[in-house]
Amino acid sequence: MTTLDLSGVTKRYGDATALNDVSLTIDDGEFFTLVGPSGCGKTTTLRLVAGFESPTAGRITFDGRDVRGVPPEARGIGVVFQNYALFPHMSVAENVSYGLRFSDPPGGVSTGERVSELLSLVDLAGFEDREPTELSGGQQQRVALARALAPGPRVLLLDEPMSALDAGLRERLRGQVKEIQRELGVTTLYVTHDQEEALAVSDRVAVMHDGRVEQVGTPRDIYDWPETSFVASFVGDNNLLEGQVVGRDDGVLDVAVDEAVFSVTARASGREPNVGADVTFGVRPERLQVVDEGASSNGNRVRARVTRSEFLGETTRVWLDWNGRELTARTTDALAGAVTLAFEADDAHLVSVDRG
Ligand code: ATP
């Protein structure tokens, strides 16, 4: 299959820089996701890989081969966009076989056999003669996926393929897409602004912001060890606190925030800050435990006032005021008034360090 590499890729449109010096390697067979807010450059990255546009600077290679000047139809890619883009006047089978207009079906099978194979793969066997208007949104996207996969592409490119669908359908379809991708082992580049979706389906994720890649990692790495304030707050909820290191002992930092001092585990990755450094650390809402004020514990304590809450079924999301700062917690019980929140040094992660 195929390894995809972007090296120092920049894309400008006039004065606007859509992508700024992006370098990424997507491994053979990997499900790799670009996630970030609107306008951060996700679609531009995908269009450059597809060959719909050319980089202003930098290099894109497929298995080490520079693809500059290679047109999209000769790159061995399959693309699925947000809006199904099926031909309304063609049957499902005709739409899928349209994917074979530039190449014969792989494996020496006939076009008809290939179409049946793919429709079974996307769980639409028997739908050959339907028209797209007779299908649900999710079914239409599965036809679009079958069409993209028909020629046996080296690389599958998916640009927000589920964003037009309702929440329940989106969750089901993302599971199916992931399963199909696993089964075929096709190198996949997936674009979404939905951080939960990115965590759910990906082998690795690149979080993008303002045309740059802020962090690349497994979903768990990105969630547990965000390296910048942007990543820490874009992926999942977070409580970010800024303070100054006032002590350091055996991998645990004492960080002063206003009058309070918190114990924060310094990650053993060579970025341990010195005493005096300004740092930002994050504590996930689900790590804040509500405790009795009198209970003894060695952990960090915060006395805060509940300002509002949102009942979400499984949990309640609570907003609190602590010395004029807003914190969020997740609880199972409704809370009101003044409460004590506790967290351990291990529950906090350093996000940024300014060595001053
Ligand atoms: P969205 O989630 O909204 O699709 P995105 O992360 O995919 O956003 P891009 O479409 O890659 O973002 O756009 C990145 C930046 O480049 C944006 O600021 C956008 O306005 C700009 N841009 C994209 N295409 C063009 C173009 N053809 N001409 C000028 N500017 C463009």
Side-chain angles (χ1 to χ4, degrees), residues 3-335:
T3 300
L4 188 62
D5 192 81
L6 284 76
S7 173
V9 173
T10 292
K11 178 67 179 176
R12 286 192 204 96
Y13 295 103
D15 290 342
T17 304
L19 271 194
N20 197 345
D21 194 21
V22 166
S23 296
L24 291 171
T25 300
I26 298 151
D27 294 331
D28 183 26
E30 193 172 27
F31 198 119
F32 192 97
T33 299
L34 305 176
V35 69
S38 184
C40 70
K42 308 178 295 289
T43 296
T44 302
T45 307
L46 191 117
R47 293 177 62 80
L48 291 170
V49 171
F52 300 137
E53 316 251 7
S54 303
T56 311
R59 218 162 76 101
I60 298 174
T61 62
F62 284 30
D63 281 335
R65 195 171 141 253
D66 196 333
V67 291
R68 175 169 285 274
V70 178
E73 65 274 15
R75 290 192 180 195
I77 52 163
V79 192
V80 180
F81 296 106
Q82 172 181 348
N83 49 354
Y84 327 113
L86 297 180
F87 297 109
H89 56 280
M90 287 187 189
S91 69
V92 164
E94 286 165 343
N95 266 286
V96 175
S97 53
Y98 185 81
L100 294 165
R101 67 201 177 285
F102 297 120
S103 59
D104 292 331
V109 300
S110 70
T111 297
E113 283 165 335
R114 183 66 180 158
V115 170
S116 302
E117 235 171 69
L118 284 156
L119 288 178
S120 307
L121 184 72
V122 298
D123 212 12
L124 286 175
F127 283 69
E128 282 80 353
D129 298 328
R130 293 268 191 107
E131 301 232 325
T133 49
E134 299 169 310
L135 300 177
S136 71
Q139 289 170 334
Q140 289 184 49
Q141 269 317 51
R142 273 145 55 199
V143 175
L145 181 63
R147 183 176 65 184
L149 291 170
R154 311 160 72 185
V155 174
L156 182 62
L157 304 173
L158 305 169
D159 191 355
E160 304 258 11
M162 310 185 200
S163 57
L165 308 174
D166 68 61
L169 198 52
R170 223 161 43 218
E171 268 176 42
R172 220 165 338 124
L173 187 58
R174 81 185 181 206
Q176 287 175 318
V177 168
K178 175 77 191 171
E179 220 169 273
I180 291 167
Q181 190 271 344
R182 274 269 158 77
E183 195 173 327
L184 302 178
V186 58
T187 306
T188 298
L189 183 58
Y190 188 87
V191 162
T192 181
H193 64 272
D194 181 335
Q195 41 92 18
E196 185 190 295
E197 196 168 282
L199 296 180
V201 297
S202 317
D203 293 318
R204 283 189 306 152
V205 175
V207 182
M208 297 186 69
H209 179 44
D210 274 351
R212 291 182 183 273
V213 172
E214 292 246 342
Q215 188 174 348
V216 178
T218 62
R220 187 156 281 285
D221 264 348
I222 297 275
Y223 189 80
D224 287 342
W225 301 107
E227 287 169 2
T228 67
S229 301
F230 176 78
V231 175
S233 49
F234 182 77
V235 181
D237 279 344
N238 220 329
N239 295 292
L240 295 183
L241 293 168
E242 290 171 18
Q244 194 178 43
V245 178
V246 293
R248 218 178 95 167
D249 183 24
D250 204 14
V252 178
L253 307 172
D254 294 326
V255 180
V257 180
D258 300 339
E259 318 281 83
V261 176
F262 297 105
S263 303
V264 174
T265 301
R267 194 184 185 183
S269 68
R271 47 184 300 179
E272 258 191 57
N274 296 320
V275 171
D278 293 324
V279 296
T280 302
F281 66 94
V283 186
R284 295 287 182 189
E286 67 272 19
R287 299 286 182 161
L288 288 175
Q289 307 287 332
V290 180
V291 295
D292 288 336
E293 202 187 346
S296 67
S297 123
N298 300 324
N300 298 295
R301 293 293 185 93
V302 171
R303 184 97 180 131
R305 194 175 45 80
V306 175
T307 52
R308 65 195 167 102
S309 57
E310 220 172 53
F311 176 63
L312 300 172
E314 226 170 295
T315 61
T316 297
R317 189 175 176 198
V318 182
W319 284 264
L320 306 106
D321 177 83
W322 174 62
N323 291 349
R325 295 164 203 272
E326 184 170 78
L327 302 178
T328 16
R330 295 260 179 175
T331 65
T332 41
D333 305 315
L335 293 181

